[in-house]
């Protein structure tokens, strides 16, 4: 289905409403155009209006730009008047913006050669800076020599600070009034504490700088933080006394060895009045409001430094570098360098910071209107475009960089409203002034004709339509409200037998006046359409990816379906390895439906039970831990392994039943890791710090092992033989014992022994005296 026509569906009732719908919507002001039943058809895309016969009567204003002042960029700074030096081009442009119609212009910036420099040296004179004071007594001469290598027009100034001379920041007891160092054995004498003291206005006579420095003595405050922000603000806003030149680059060098007090710290001393951002130097060039105003905030410092085109250089000791580095992110045009504890590297530090400042350009915007959107695209020395970036670095003096500035009005302000805002490079005095007007009215509106005959004399004709006077209705204001229209009711029916105005409106003057609904708009010649009776998905009309038009969802590009809930995009289904759903599923309505058992995740990338999962995780381990493997490229590794949480351990624990144990060979060793999917969708990989390696056995070990094996086998065989023999002997002995127990003779008799006397029994029969006898004869 084609996407919805935003112009025709916007229900615009006037040319101005049409222009606000979309920057590509145009209005047809031709008298006889389209259907008399619909006025929205006059608001359409330009090509549609031309195709429908409205050429020559179309209202379609567009954003425009005109360059008001465009002086060429200068190439050199010194030797010319400040009015001749130009570092930004153009200097003034005028924009006429139609809401939503973006226009753009190009800005060029160049750091000119030999540009004048004003440097104001602001020094912490608390007691801990005493050795630093000794080392800078001849700073002016040496610094001027180095800076004149960079510019032929250099001036130097000097100021100092300690802290507010009130409790608890300083020693205020009477005995400390003239010498707060009384009783301090390491340094028994010092001057009273003070907030800020301007000592030398900017001058090219560097000997005066040396003289002022040699006069200075340190002071002593009670707490560690110093009142340096008070001094920075006064040095920035007291332009006349400091002597800042309009045509010079302004450098403010702030040296300290401790942290600063910031806004609200003053409450500790009873100071509740916020800083007013004004100059408060008295006739003695001392900060007179030190005991009345709180310390300034970072925002106020940033505002005043930018207002006066001042580059602030924090020269701080190493222990406080990180704190001041964080300050630079909050104060535009600020840099920080590490100062040695004795300030011996101060000249090198200043030259380095100056070169750093001159090597970059950053655009800032002042007074940008809320209803105007700005986007920047930087084109730096490498010739590449960087969308969203408004700064360039690594520049050389004389290099030119450009910025494409796109401007878009988000809405229409009140009639005849105009705005002006400023674009300026941070720390530059040069600015680009941008004047903005708004194109929110149609030209045909200015030609409106009251009581026009085209409107039956009952209305104003403008832009092809009649705006009826109160009490009149109709396309030509031909009917009065409440007039009987029963004889024309048929013109309010969509078809014979259908209810008047589809039952959702009243028939008046041959036209349907649709009822208002709390659910949305009812419209159409017969009130047959609305913008709320369409299919929904999860309670959202047309899934939020389409527009409801007369009961049908008109899906936005990239969505299909009755309720527009099905995306045609497949980008969300492409896994990190470039496959569709990781090769484990299909893409349906822009989402993966995993078909591989055990696979899950937005792109089916999670699958602990799938073959090959260990090799996939191995690639991430190799690239993240060892910067090796096929994903060794850093960007590729980050893209493919963004959901992997890798932890190294000395020994793997395999207690978790859900963890998958993986291993792969590495140089004759084995690297092992476990893989566990977390509920958050990420993977937890636990990897051994070192691969497990086993050394190859030596020849001696093998020989000894063979000999030992043979001996062991022999011993085992002998033992087995001995066991069998013992068992056999015991069996034979048991059998002998059994036979012996069954013998019938006594153990004491010898069965082989015979007596020397033998006895024989003879059987015979004889008759004696006619008697028979049986018996034996011995």
């Amino acid at each position: 289905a084609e996407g919805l026509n935003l112009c025709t569906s916007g229900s615009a009732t006037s040319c101005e409403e049409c222009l606000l719908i979309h920057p590509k919507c145009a209005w047809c002001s031709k008298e006889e155009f389209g259907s008399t039943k619909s006025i929205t058809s006059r608001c359409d895309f330009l090509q549609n209006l031309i195709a429908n016969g409205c050429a020559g009567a179309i209202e379609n204003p567009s954003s425009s730009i005109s360059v008001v002042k465009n002086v060429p960029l200068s190439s050199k700074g010194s030797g010319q008047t400040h009015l001749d030096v130009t570092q930004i081009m153009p200097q003034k442009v005028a924009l006429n913006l139609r809401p939503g119609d973006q226009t753009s212009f190009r800005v060029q910036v160049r750091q000119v050669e030999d540009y004048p420099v004003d440097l104001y040296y602001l020094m912490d004179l608390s007691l801990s800076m005493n050795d630093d004071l000794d080392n800078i007594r001849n700073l002016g001469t040496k610094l001027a020599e180095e800076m004149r290598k960079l510019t032929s027009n250099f001036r130097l100034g000097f100021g100092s600070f300690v802290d507010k001379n009130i409790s608890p920041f300083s020693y205020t007891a009477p005995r400390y009034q003239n010498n707060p160092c009384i009783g301090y054995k390491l340094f028994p004498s010092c001057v009273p504490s003070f907030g800020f003291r301007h000592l030398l206005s900017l001058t090219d006579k560097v000997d005066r700088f040396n003289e002022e420095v040699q006069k200075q003595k340190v002071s002593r405050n009670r707490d560690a933080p110093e009142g340096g922000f008070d001094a920075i603000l006064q040095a920035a806003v007291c332009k006349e006394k400091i002597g800042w030149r309009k045509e010079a680059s302004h450098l403010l060098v702030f040296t300290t060895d401790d942290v600063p007090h910031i806004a609200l710290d003053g409450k500790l001393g009873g100071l509740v009045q916020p800083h007013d951002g004004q100059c408060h130097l008295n006739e003695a060039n001392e900060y007179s409001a030190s005991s009345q105003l709180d310390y300034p905030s970072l925002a106020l410092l940033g505002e005043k430094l930018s207002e006066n085109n001042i580059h602030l250089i924090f020269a701080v000791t190493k222990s406080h570098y990180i704190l001041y580095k964080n300050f630079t992110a909050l104060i535009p045009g600020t840099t920080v360098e590490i100062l040695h504890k004795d300030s011996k590297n101060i000249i090198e530090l200043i030259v380095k910071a100056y070169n750093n400042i001159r090597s970059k350009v950053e655009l800032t915007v002042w007074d940008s209107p809320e209803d105007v959107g700005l986007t920047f695209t930087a084109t730096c020395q490498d010739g590449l475009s960087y969308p969203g970036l408004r700064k360039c670095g690594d520049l050389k003096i004389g290099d030119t960089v450009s910025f494409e500035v796109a401007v878009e009005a988000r809405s229409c302000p009140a009639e005849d409203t105009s705005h002006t805002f400023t674009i300026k490079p941070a720390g530059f005095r040069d600015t680009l002034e941008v004047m903005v007007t708004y194109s929110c009215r149609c030209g045909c509106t200015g030609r409106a004709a009251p009581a026009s005959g085209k409107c039956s004399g009952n209305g104003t004709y403008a832009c092809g339509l009649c705006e009826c006077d109160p009490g009149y209705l109709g396309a030509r204001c031909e009917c009065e409200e409440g007039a009987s229209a029963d004889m024309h009711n048929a013109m309010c029916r969509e078809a014979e037998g259908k209810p008047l105005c589809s039952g959702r409106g009243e028939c008046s003057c041959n036209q349907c006046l649709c009822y208002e609904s709390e659910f949305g708009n009812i419209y159409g010649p017969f009130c047959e359409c609305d913008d709320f009776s369409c299919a929904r998905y999860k309670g959202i009309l047309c899934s939020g990816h389409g527009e409801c038009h007369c009961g049908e969802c008109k899906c936005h590009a990239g969505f299909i379906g009755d309720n527009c809930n099905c995306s045609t995009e497949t980008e969300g289904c492409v896994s990190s390895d470039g496959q569709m759903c990781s090769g484990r599923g299909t893409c349906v309505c822009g989402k993966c439906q995993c078909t591989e058992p055990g696979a899950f995740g937005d792109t089916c990338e999670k699958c602990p039970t799938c073959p090959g999962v260990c090799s996939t995780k191995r690639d991430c381990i190799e690239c993240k831990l060892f910067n090796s493997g096929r994903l060794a490229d850093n960007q590729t590794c980050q893209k493919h392994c963004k959901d992997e949480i890798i932890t190294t351990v000395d020994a793997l624990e395999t207690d978790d039943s859900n963890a998958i144990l993986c291993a792969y060979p590495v140089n004759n060793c084995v690297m092992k890791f476990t893989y566990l999917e977390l509920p958050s969708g990420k993977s937890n990989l636990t990897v051994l710090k070192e691969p497990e390696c086993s050394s190859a056995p030596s020849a001696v070990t093998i020989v000894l092992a063979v000999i030992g094996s043979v001996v062991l086998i022999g011993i085992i065989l002998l033992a087995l033989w001995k066991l069998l023999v013992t068992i056999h002997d015991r069996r034979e002995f048991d059998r002998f014992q059994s036979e012996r127990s069954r013998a019938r003779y006594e153990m004491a008799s010898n069965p082989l022994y015979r007596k020397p006397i033998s006895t024989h029994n003879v059987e015979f029969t004889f008759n004696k005296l006619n008697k028979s006898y049986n018996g034996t004869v011995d």
Side-chain angles (χ1 to χ4, degrees), residues 82 87 115-119 153 155 202 243-251 308-309 427-429:
H82 70 275
Q87 298 186 99
Y115 198 70
V117 175
D118 286 348
L119 188 149
N153 194 338
R155 299 199 310 168
L202 292 163
W244 297 114
R245 293 177 292 177
K246 291 183 179 180
E247 70 274 16
S249 179
H250 303 159
L251 304 183
N308 296 284
N309 309 317
F428 284 50
R429 68 170 180 84

Side-chain angles (χ1 to χ4, degrees), residues 642-668:
K642 62 180 185 301
D643 292 333
E644 314 299 342
I645 302 174
I646 301 178
T647 307
T648 56
V649 296
D650 293 322
L652 288 178
E653 296 182 2
T654 57
D655 299 337
D656 194 340
S657 59
N658 295 321
I660 306 298
L661 179 63
C662 300
Y664 63 91
V666 179
N667 298 329
N668 297 324

Side-chain angles (χ1 to χ4, degrees), residues 277-448:
Q278 301 300 315
C279 178
H280 293 284
L281 291 186
N282 57 22
E283 294 180 356
N285 286 332
E286 292 191 0
Y287 179 39
S288 60
S290 180
S291 57
Q292 286 85 43
L293 299 178
D294 192 8
Y295 298 97
S297 64
L298 292 173
L300 182 60
L301 277 182
E303 178 186 341
K304 295 304 176 182
L305 289 169
S306 296
E307 251 180 41
N308 296 284
N309 309 317
I310 294 175
H311 289 288
L312 176 61
I313 302 172
F314 286 125
V316 299
T317 51
K318 187 175 182 179
S319 58
H320 302 298
Y321 176 81
I322 298 300
L323 173 66
Y324 284 90
K325 183 69 174 176
N326 293 334
F327 286 160
T328 64
L330 303 173
I331 306 176
T334 306
T335 59
V336 60
E337 299 291 344
I338 296 178
L339 178 72
H340 292 173
K341 290 187 176 181
D342 55 4
S343 295
K344 283 186 177 179
N345 69 326
I346 187 63
I347 295 178
E348 176 189 348
L349 180 153
I350 292 173
V351 172
K352 179 183 176 182
Y354 176 73
N355 287 328
N356 183 37
I357 290 170
R358 296 279 280 167
S359 69
K360 61 186 178 183
V361 170
E362 180 176 4
L363 296 187
T364 60
V365 181
W366 290 74
D367 303 321
S368 176
E370 292 183 359
D371 56 356
V372 172
L374 296 174
T375 55
F376 293 83
T377 300
T379 303
C380 302
Q381 281 303 107
D382 56 8
L384 301 177
S385 295
Y386 298 92
L389 198 66
R390 59 170 74 179
K391 64 180 179 179
C392 287
D394 299 325
L395 304 178
K396 297 178 182 178
I397 302 298
D399 285 347
T400 303
V401 294
S402 63
F403 301 87
E404 190 77 19
V405 184
V407 188
E408 179 183 345
R410 301 189 184 99
S411 61
C412 270
E415 191 174 345
D416 298 328
T417 298
S418 63
H419 292 110
T420 300
F421 63 91
T422 302
I423 296 176
K424 67 187 294 290
F428 284 50
R429 68 170 180 84
D430 303 72
T431 62
L432 165 59
E433 183 181 351
V434 183
M435 300 180 297
V436 180
T437 56
Y438 301 87
S439 181
C440 295
R441 283 178 61 83
C442 297
C444 58
T445 303
R447 301 188 296 271

Side-chain angles (χ1 to χ4, degrees), residues 448-659:
S452 172
K454 297 177 181 179
C455 302
S456 308
N458 300 319
T460 300
Y461 181 79
C463 299
L465 291 178
C466 284
E467 184 179 345
C468 299
D469 295 336
Y472 291 92
L473 301 170
R476 299 299 177 188
C477 306
E478 70 273 20
C479 299
E480 294 187 40
E481 287 185 359
S484 175
D486 294 339
M487 60 183 298
H488 303 292
N489 280 349
M491 297 184 68
C492 292
R493 298 179 190 273
E494 187 176 7
E496 189 65 31
K498 290 286 185 77
L500 288 174
C501 301
S502 304
R504 303 200 292 182
E506 294 180 354
C507 185
S508 177
C509 196
N510 304 327
Q511 289 186 335
C512 285
L513 300 178
C514 303
Y515 297 141
E516 292 184 359
S517 172
E518 61 180 325
F519 302 108
N521 293 325
I522 299 174
Y523 60 96
F526 308 102
C527 302
E528 74 278 12
C529 295
D530 61 55
D531 60 2
F532 53 83
S533 298
C534 290
R536 297 172 182 264
Y537 179 70
K538 294 184 177 180
I540 302 175
L541 192 68
C542 299
S543 307
H545 301 305
E547 306 293 338
C548 182
H549 185 62
C550 207
E552 181 182 355
C553 283
K554 300 292 185 181
C555 301
H556 296 159
F559 292 90
I560 58 174
D562 293 340
N563 53 14
C564 304
N565 70 323
C566 186
S567 173
T568 59
E569 297 290 335
T570 58
E571 184 177 352
C573 296
V574 179
S575 57
S576 58
D577 59 1
Q579 297 188 70
M580 191 67 66
C581 298
S582 305
R584 302 178 183 130
T586 57
C587 188
V588 179
C589 292
K591 295 183 178 180
C592 283
Q593 291 186 357
C594 304
T595 55
E596 182 83 17
F600 62 98
D602 292 340
T603 57
C604 305
E605 73 280 8
K606 312 293 184 183
C607 188
T609 59
C610 292
V613 68
C614 285
S615 62
T616 303
K617 302 303 177 185
R618 167 189 173 177
D619 292 337
C620 290
I621 291 173
E622 289 183 338
C623 76
K624 276 199 166 186
L625 292 185
F626 310 111
N627 195 27
S628 62
R630 67 182 187 90
L631 302 179
D633 176 66
N634 187 51
Q635 292 183 350
T636 306
C637 184
Q638 293 298 326
K639 176 182 177 183
H640 286 250
C641 306
K642 62 180 185 301
D643 292 333
E644 314 299 342
I645 302 174
I646 301 178
T647 307
T648 56
V649 296
D650 293 322
L652 288 178
E653 296 182 2
T654 57
D655 299 337
D656 194 340
S657 59
N658 295 321

